[in-house]
Amino acid sequence: MVGVGVNGYGTIGKRVADAIAAQPDMHVAGVAKRSPDVGAHSARSKGFGLYAPVDRVEHFEDAAVRVDGTVDDMIAASEVIVDATPGGVGAENAPRYAARDTPAVFQGAEDPAVAETSFVARANYASAVGAERVRVVSCNTTGLARLLAPIDERWGIERARVTLVRRGGDPAQPDRGPIDDILPDPIEVPSHHGPDVRTVLPNVRIDTMGVTVPATRMHLHAVSVTLGDDGAGRRVDVRDVRDCLADEPRIFLVPGDLGIESCGGLKEVAKDADRPRGDVWENCVWTDSIAVTDGEISCFQAIHQEADVVPENVDAVRAIAGLADAEESRRTTNEALGLDDRPTNVTAAGRELGAADD
């Protein structure tokens, strides 16, 4: 049982802690927070050890919230750290982990230079095996890599072009915007997502553009992929693409007969399936959106920004600790979370997201 400390218990950190606790070969060594807010009480109620920065301990004491020690104490008690702090803070924390020879997993808001490798389990698991510093890429990059990796392996990719329609903020971020506008974000082309994809799929040529909209549900990607020019790609049809993606447990092909026509609808399905927090760990690709014209694949996919990197963090810990190879790790993670290790191509109306066959 590998002891994992989670530094930062916000949107990602709390989900990663729950996912770690569900694994058969890991346990939560503790979680760290800066403030004695509702998250601290939640961590306590789940039985997690609670730690705080040394200069913030008295704030917890004043609020009558017991802490088990400082962040440095948690690092010392952990075999691997998952740093889920805000962007830029992880890089500041990196020397603390290195000083104690504690391997660490960082998040996609950090610069790639913070780690030895950027990581998506489906794309480059082996690069993280035995590493000291691993960066799980952002929610959008994770979603793109999961989609592009199997297509590239099957047919080769000449070029990918993606427009990312991004949520303005998470549901618990009332200070984010825009409120009533649509923003090219960034205005410069390409957006950072394309170069970030190439940190895990270096041979894939990809151009990305970003738009931010006043929504909180999920991100939406409009994807066009030109297949390799060796002639094989010209013979691909829609059924081939569907079969390829149906073999990916972390891709959910959304059937047209389920009547799910929006990101909000996907979230409702997750809630009805009793997913914790209504989380959608998979890419959601609308089956009816998949089109193939003269060797070019197009589709829409939705990415739940609060959740899709959670299984990747678990796999990154397992790779660092050398607990399993890529296939075994993904299977173990999926089973522990309730994300079945089978194609999530639901084909009959009424069957739930990720639900097992009757």
Side-chain angles (χ1 to χ4, degrees), residues 211-284:
V211 177
T212 299
V213 298
T216 63
R217 299 284 188 165
M218 302 173 80
H219 301 300
L220 181 68
H221 297 171
V223 182
S224 293
V225 179
T226 303
L227 301 180
D229 59 1
D230 61 358
R234 305 296 174 185
R235 298 189 295 273
V236 175
D237 63 22
V238 169
R239 184 181 297 274
D240 296 327
V241 178
R242 290 177 179 174
D243 289 346
C244 174
L245 299 182
D247 286 336
E248 299 295 319
R250 293 182 188 172
I251 293 179
F252 170 48
L253 293 182
V254 184
D257 59 7
L258 288 186
I260 303 170
E261 299 179 347
S262 68
C263 294
L266 291 167
K267 288 284 290 177
E268 284 302 305
V269 172
K271 292 175 184 177
D272 290 343
D274 293 327
R275 284 285 183 87
R277 304 184 179 89
D279 283 348
V280 184
W281 299 300
E282 304 96 328
N283 294 29
C284 296

Side-chain angles (χ1 to χ4, degrees), residues 77-102:
S78 303
E79 294 168 81
V80 180
I81 290 288
V82 173
D83 188 297
T85 57
V89 178
E92 295 174 4
N93 289 334
R96 302 172 72 178
Y97 310 142
R100 291 188 175 272
D101 293 324
T102 304

Side-chain angles (χ1 to χ4, degrees), residues 89-303:
V89 178
E92 295 174 4
N93 289 334
R96 302 172 72 178
Y97 310 142
R100 291 188 175 272
D101 293 324
T102 304
V105 178
F106 300 92
Q107 305 308 306
E110 302 298 330
D111 189 276
V114 75
E116 299 162 52
T117 184
S118 293
F119 179 86
V120 174
R122 179 60 179 81
N124 65 338
Y125 183 96
S127 71
V129 173
E132 292 293 317
R133 299 175 308 281
V134 173
R135 170 182 172 262
V136 171
V137 296
S138 72
C139 51
N140 281 306
T141 304
T142 294
L144 289 172
R146 284 180 185 166
L147 179 69
L148 296 177
I151 293 173
D152 190 42
E153 290 172 7
R154 184 76 64 91
W155 299 294
I157 293 176
E158 180 180 320
R159 197 173 200 98
R161 297 172 178 83
V162 184
T163 299
L164 301 96
V165 183
R166 302 157 63 197
R167 60 90 180 101
D170 294 338
Q173 294 177 315
D175 55 331
R176 295 284 294 267
I179 294 174
D180 183 21
D181 211 344
I182 300 172
L183 308 180
D185 184 18
I187 292 176
E188 297 81 10
V189 178
S191 66
H192 69 274
H193 307 92
D196 206 25
V197 167
R198 298 194 68 170
T199 65
V200 294
L201 292 171
N203 295 322
V204 171
R205 298 173 64 201
I206 178 170
D207 299 314
T208 54
M209 301 173 69
V211 177
T212 299
V213 298
T216 63
R217 299 284 188 165
M218 302 173 80
H219 301 300
L220 181 68
H221 297 171
V223 182
S224 293
V225 179
T226 303
L227 301 180
D229 59 1
D230 61 358
R234 305 296 174 185
R235 298 189 295 273
V236 175
D237 63 22
V238 169
R239 184 181 297 274
D240 296 327
V241 178
R242 290 177 179 174
D243 289 346
C244 174
L245 299 182
D247 286 336
E248 299 295 319
R250 293 182 188 172
I251 293 179
F252 170 48
L253 293 182
V254 184
D257 59 7
L258 288 186
I260 303 170
E261 299 179 347
S262 68
C263 294
L266 291 167
K267 288 284 290 177
E268 284 302 305
V269 172
K271 292 175 184 177
D272 290 343
D274 293 327
R275 284 285 183 87
R277 304 184 179 89
D279 283 348
V280 184
W281 299 300
E282 304 96 328
N283 294 29
C284 296
V285 178
W286 276 274
T287 303
D288 289 350
S289 77
I290 299 173
V292 182
T293 304
D294 195 23
E296 182 162 302
I297 299 169
S298 300
C299 67
F300 285 117
Q301 71 169 0
I303 302 297

